[in-house]
Amino acid sequence: MQSKIFNSQKSDYSTQGLFLGEDSGLMDTINKKFPRIWKIYKTLKKMDWDENEFDFSDCAVDFKTCSPSIYRIMIKNLAWQWETDTIAARSYLPILAPFISSTEAFAAYTEITKNEIVHTLTYSEIVRNSFDNPEEVFGEILAITESLARLDTVSKVFSTIYKVSHEYALGLRQASDIEVQDAVWTFITTMLCVERLQFMSSFAPTFAVCNTGLFNPIGKAVQKIAQDELEIHVEMGKEVFKFIPAGIWDRIKPNLEAILEEIVERELTWAGYLFAEGDELVGVNEHLLKEWVLFNAKDLYKLFKFESKYSLPKVNPLKFMEKWLDISKTQPSPQEEDNGQYKLNSVRKDDVGTTFEIDF
Ligand SMILES: [Fe+2]
Ligand SMILES: [Fe+2]
């Protein structure tokens, strides 16, 4: 049997790291070395939800009657979120799979990838149910070129690892190849920047609109997506980052610093674009959104121990985001609306003793 399919000669079960060990053999729970990653996998498995849990049909009226300003902001945001979650769903496991050595990491990345599928299907369901002609809006969304430009930096990193990943899977590259090592860890850390910074900044205009009472089902669904991102995907990224080999970190650090700065710049540019047509939102303007971007970037600068050229806000400039990002503070009565929070509550009970380090 080809060793990439099943490696019966594998000898590093008890010593292998997360990535780039000998080719995979048995998936085993005997040699577990990453208990926190296992916990993340189990927690997300229990949090599994479905894109059809929410009835988005009420949103059709809101899209028809809201101001052009709100309409534009909602569509611009949906475009980016839908596209980026599609990329996440198609890249997380497919790209990382050839490199993953540990069973815990394989299980966790599989579950996260499944979760990204739920996210992107949710955006698709929002569009399918909210418009009389979803095909037209589909085209409208794909025509927003700024949303792909916002991912320009990220797409360069993903293109590199896409090629390296396939070459590695075909046996054309080895684990000792520094380009392979750097591509894996640059992908992991860049994805963390997307999830911790770009997604968190994209949620702010959505929640600002939903704060006014509009698009309630979208608010609830996106709130679940935000919770998955912040409490699970970001925590996974931070946990995995703890295991980056020192030599690889020294090599990729300057490039990652430039990537983070570029991502911050992309977000600041997007904040300008979002309000470019004089569009207005209650509770968020261009300045506050930029401050929110920098406030989220602060967590990454701290994690990577990078100096920032920006003045990073000490306090959260968008207080209302705390309510939306902490689901327990926004419990609706179950009779009133689709309540996406029941699963979280059952997960919480199971999570006693687990500390998730969300930095705000
Ligand atoms: Fe996602
Ligand atoms: Fe994610």
Side-chain angles (χ1 to χ4, degrees):
M1 169 116 28
Q2 230 246 44
S3 70
K4 294 281 182 192
I5 305 293
F6 184 79
N7 181 9
S8 58
Q9 305 298 313
K10 189 174 174 66
S11 63
D12 66 348
Y13 281 105
S14 60
T15 56
Q16 70 192 359
L18 288 167
F19 307 106
L20 299 171
E22 292 174 20
D23 287 343
S24 296
L26 288 169
M27 269 211 181
D28 79 299
T29 53
I30 298 158
N31 295 287
K32 280 198 296 213
K33 285 173 62 194
F34 303 98
R36 246 182 93 79
I37 291 176
W38 191 247
K39 184 74 184 169
I40 286 169
Y41 158 61
K42 289 289 185 183
T43 302
L44 185 54
K45 199 160 128 69
K46 286 187 185 137
M47 284 167 75
D48 190 19
W49 55 285
D50 190 272
E51 69 276 8
N52 294 121
E53 278 174 39
F54 300 91
D55 179 2
F56 297 114
S57 55
D58 286 355
C59 300
V61 178
D62 288 342
F63 273 111
K64 275 184 188 139
T65 54
C66 71
S67 70
S69 223
I70 298 279
Y71 181 92
R72 277 194 292 267
I73 284 173
M74 287 299 284
I75 291 289
K76 284 175 179 175
N77 244 356
L78 276 172
W80 185 85
Q81 289 163 337
W82 191 1
E83 285 164 2
T84 311
D85 262 331
T86 297
I87 293 169
R90 288 198 193 278
S91 61
Y92 243 131
L93 187 66
I95 278 180
L96 282 180
F99 308 117
I100 299 171
S101 317
S102 92
T103 298
E104 297 97 304
F106 199 90
Y109 282 122
T110 302
E111 208 57 39
I112 287 174
T113 304
K114 275 175 61 189
N115 195 226
E116 298 290 17
I117 293 171
V118 177
H119 292 181
T120 192
L121 295 185
T122 299
Y123 293 116
S124 183
E125 284 297 286
I126 288 171
V127 170
R128 193 173 73 82
N129 287 288
S130 301
F131 299 95
D132 298 336
N133 295 310
E135 300 80 11
E136 267 175 40
V137 179
F138 197 92
E140 200 179 325
I141 277 176
L142 288 171
I144 301 175
T145 50
E146 287 84 355
S147 64
L148 285 177
R150 187 180 179 185
L151 289 170
D152 205 36
T153 310
V154 173
S155 79
K156 284 182 220 147
V157 173
F158 283 31
S159 300
T160 302
I161 194 163
Y162 183 86
K163 187 166 174 280
V164 169
S165 168
H166 287 80
E167 288 170 353
Y168 185 77
L170 290 170
L172 302 173
R173 284 177 180 263
Q174 308 307 315
S176 56
D177 181 339
I178 60 171
E179 263 188 78
V180 171
Q181 298 167 1
D182 292 4
V184 170
W185 287 97
T186 303
F187 174 79
I188 300 283
T189 45
T190 302
M191 189 63 116
L192 180 54
C193 294
V194 174
E195 293 177 317
R196 181 63 187 88
L197 172 55
Q198 294 198 280
F199 266 112
M200 287 313 127
S201 81
S202 86
F203 295 139
T206 306
F207 292 148
V209 171
C210 296
N211 242 0
T212 65
L214 289 168
F215 303 106
N216 201 27
I218 293 180
K220 293 293 164 200
V222 175
Q223 188 177 36
K224 267 189 93 63
I225 292 173
Q227 180 202 2
D228 292 341
E229 291 296 338
L230 197 56
E231 295 187 14
I232 302 293
H233 306 194
V234 167
E235 287 311 302
M236 175 71 177
K238 288 181 175 177
E239 181 62 19
V240 168
F241 178 65
K242 287 180 190 165
F243 297 96
I244 188 168
I248 299 178
W249 178 234
D250 285 343
R251 280 202 310 266
I252 71 163
K253 211 161 33 172
N255 189 30
L256 183 67
E257 199 164 3
I259 288 169
L260 177 56
E261 196 181 311
E262 268 185 58
I263 289 177
V264 171
E265 284 300 319
R266 294 271 169 206
E267 287 309 297
L268 297 176
T269 303
W270 176 268
Y273 161 69
L274 204 60
F275 294 99
E277 293 171 78
D279 288 340
E280 286 176 1
L281 274 183
V282 176
V284 185
N285 56 28
E286 185 180 334
H287 170 71
L288 284 173
L289 187 53
K290 287 180 173 173
E291 288 290 290
W292 172 247
V293 167
L294 296 175
F295 182 70
N296 284 288
K298 190 168 77 170
D299 192 27
L300 294 166
Y301 279 101
K302 200 171 113 193
L303 177 74
F304 299 137
K305 298 190 174 66
F306 291 158
E307 286 292 319
S308 165
K309 70 172 194 181
Y310 308 96
S311 164
L312 303 173
K314 287 194 175 59
V315 293
N316 178 4
L318 297 179
K319 281 285 168 211
F320 70 87
M321 288 299 284
E322 285 170 15
K323 178 187 81 173
W324 285 96
L325 293 174
D326 182 355
I327 271 182
S328 61
K329 286 183 193 161
T330 53
Q331 288 281 357
S333 82
Q335 297 82 5
E336 282 174 33
E337 52 193 310
D338 289 332
N339 185 345
Q341 292 150 20
Y342 57 92
K343 286 195 173 137
L344 174 70
N345 294 338
S346 66
V347 169
R348 285 289 187 206
K349 278 181 206 142
D350 187 59
D351 252 12
V352 174
T354 301
T355 313
F356 290 104
E357 293 149 10
I358 295 165
D359 211 358
F360 274 106

